[in-house]
Amino acid sequence: MSTARVLIVDDSTAMRALFRDILEQAKGVEVVGDARSAEEARKLIPTLKPNVLTLDVEMPGMSGMEFLAELMENDPIPVIMLSSVTQDGTGTAQKALELGAVGCFPKPLHTTPEQFNATVAKLGAIVNEAANTDLKNREAPQGGASVSLADYRPDGRIVVLAGATESIEVIRETIAGYPANCPETVVLIDADESFIDRMIDPLRPSVACKIETAGDETMMVPGTVYLVYAKHKHVVFENDFAPLLKLVEKEPIGGARPSADMLFASFARAGTPVLAGLLSGTSKDGARGLQALSKSGADVFVQDCVETGGESRKPALDELGVAAEAVTAAEVGNWILAKTKEKAKAA
């Protein structure tokens, strides 16, 4: 077995240091260098001659996915994607494997001694295996995402979510976990526009689905997530001749614009099959709209914040007598896909 000569590529100084520390303790692994960007890595590869790269998904300039595609086309080298959005079973992991990555590994979110040692052993084994992979003769990788999402077909329902600043990670993880043929999804986010742009824009080149900002007369199509967050207008749904999102000039409703209540209620009036949920947040906006959807027969859920903290909208729904299923932050994405999977509905 060849020694794994690893080049770490990540724009975060802290993450480069963490992965260096992890990999330098793994058996059979030598860290030959690190790079802050695809451009820097491109210059270092001929000199350092690594036989495996660890590559971040979200980087300024050329994204990790774009660099992965370039490497596989011009100078193939075993690559392991390291990111918070490449856990097994996600659409991002599926896309990375399809582009040629030999594996995906989530960035460690906890660093207790026990978890650190476990990460050393697991990532070390993955890196060693990658370094000894024959890219020319290997079979197409079968990652968790390929297995769990390969037979996914949406059942035709539209997914409508409403959240706030504190739910942005749940929203990011849900989008990252979506396959290319995800259900049409509308996500209203009550947060500062610049904050949303900073958090969501890096996902655009790396996820399997499309991400668009809702505008006036936006026709909805499968495989797309539509973001609603501009503060100057409300957004409503209409389905006269085609499913459309429309902008509405109106004063804030209950202090909210765009209003989740107004968005949810427009879906209820249209009678379109929907799955809807309220993510964490301090506002009651969306509770009455979810009530209307529940009465129309839609599946509704609310984020359970017991494990993660934060403000749940469940008390507001309880006041209205809305029987919404409680779903934890970690389960939201998979729960939506399981519920909207065609064969699951038929069962």
Side-chain angles (χ1 to χ4, degrees):
M1 251 181 112
S2 302
T3 297
R5 294 172 48 80
V6 185
L7 175 63
I8 300 167
V9 186
D10 197 302
D11 65 300
S12 166
T13 301
M15 280 297 161
R16 291 198 305 275
L18 174 61
F19 284 124
R20 178 180 283 274
D21 193 15
I22 290 172
L23 291 171
E24 285 181 342
Q25 296 190 47
K27 294 181 180 179
V29 177
E30 176 188 358
V31 178
V32 296
D34 58 67
R36 295 171 294 180
S37 64
E39 182 180 3
E40 189 173 313
R42 196 182 295 114
K43 294 176 181 177
L44 290 174
I45 289 173
T47 304
L48 299 177
K49 301 187 185 310
N51 56 13
V52 61
L53 260 65
T54 65
L55 181 58
D56 187 21
V57 170
E58 301 175 25
M59 298 189 298
M62 177 176 277
S63 73
M65 288 294 198
E66 292 169 327
F67 188 43
L68 172 63
E70 177 188 293
L71 287 170
M72 292 304 111
E73 182 176 354
N74 300 325
D75 189 19
I77 182 174
V79 173
I80 298 169
M81 304 302 291
L82 299 177
S83 174
S84 59
V85 294
T86 53
Q87 289 90 339
D88 282 347
T90 68
T92 304
Q94 181 179 20
K95 184 174 181 180
L97 294 170
E98 289 172 353
L99 287 173
V102 299
C104 299
F105 194 83
K107 287 184 176 180
L109 302 178
H110 307 286
T111 54
T112 65
E114 294 79 9
Q115 291 165 329
F116 183 87
N117 291 335
T119 301
V120 168
K122 188 171 182 180
L123 185 55
I126 292 173
V127 167
N128 271 301
E129 183 178 353
N132 289 274
T133 296
D134 182 352
L135 292 182
K136 292 182 179 179
N137 297 316
R138 75 186 183 118
E139 296 181 358
Q142 297 296 315
S146 299
V147 173
S148 60
L149 299 179
D151 61 346
Y152 176 82
R153 297 290 182 276
D155 63 8
R157 284 184 289 175
I158 295 175
V159 175
V160 194
L161 307 174
T165 303
E166 54 265 56
S167 60
I168 196 69
E169 281 304 322
V170 174
I171 294 167
R172 279 167 47 87
E173 289 170 10
T174 298
I175 295 173
Y178 266 3
N181 63 336
C182 71
E184 297 131 291
T185 300
V186 183
V187 184
L188 186 150
I189 312 173
D190 180 16
D192 181 74
E193 294 180 31
S194 61
F195 169 75
I196 296 170
D197 289 338
R198 290 198 307 273
M199 297 301 291
I200 300 296
D201 280 353
L203 287 177
R204 294 180 187 271
S206 62
V207 296
C209 63
K210 296 179 181 177
I211 305 174
E212 293 189 7
T213 301
D216 198 23
E217 303 289 339
T218 299
M219 184 177 294
M220 298 181 63
V221 295
T224 307
V225 175
Y226 299 90
L227 303 180
V228 175
Y229 59 92
K231 298 295 185 181
H232 62 289
K233 290 185 179 180
H234 295 285
V235 176
V236 296
F237 173 80
E238 291 186 1
N239 194 20
D240 293 334
F241 302 102
L244 296 175
L245 294 174
K246 301 186 71 173
L247 300 183
V248 176
E249 292 187 4
K250 191 175 182 179
E251 291 301 308
I253 298 174
R257 188 173 63 191
S259 165
D261 276 331
M262 190 171 183
L263 178 65
F264 285 160
S266 69
F267 276 98
R269 285 194 302 272
T272 299
V274 165
L275 181 150
L278 272 179
L279 305 178
S280 61
T282 56
S283 170
K284 291 185 178 181
D285 180 43
R288 292 194 177 278
L290 205 70
Q291 179 186 40
L293 281 171
S294 178
K295 288 181 177 179
S296 73
D299 277 343
V300 298
F301 77 93
V302 62
Q303 182 183 333
D304 183 348
C305 299
V306 173
E307 294 182 0
T308 57
E311 291 286 338
S312 173
R313 316 279 185 108
K314 191 174 187 303
L317 294 174
D318 289 343
E319 287 179 14
L320 298 172
V322 180
E325 184 169 348
V327 182
T328 65
E331 296 172 338
V332 168
N334 285 335
W335 187 88
I336 290 172
L337 292 176
K339 282 285 187 179
T340 60
K341 190 174 181 180
E342 191 173 44
K343 67 178 184 181
K345 184 183 179 186

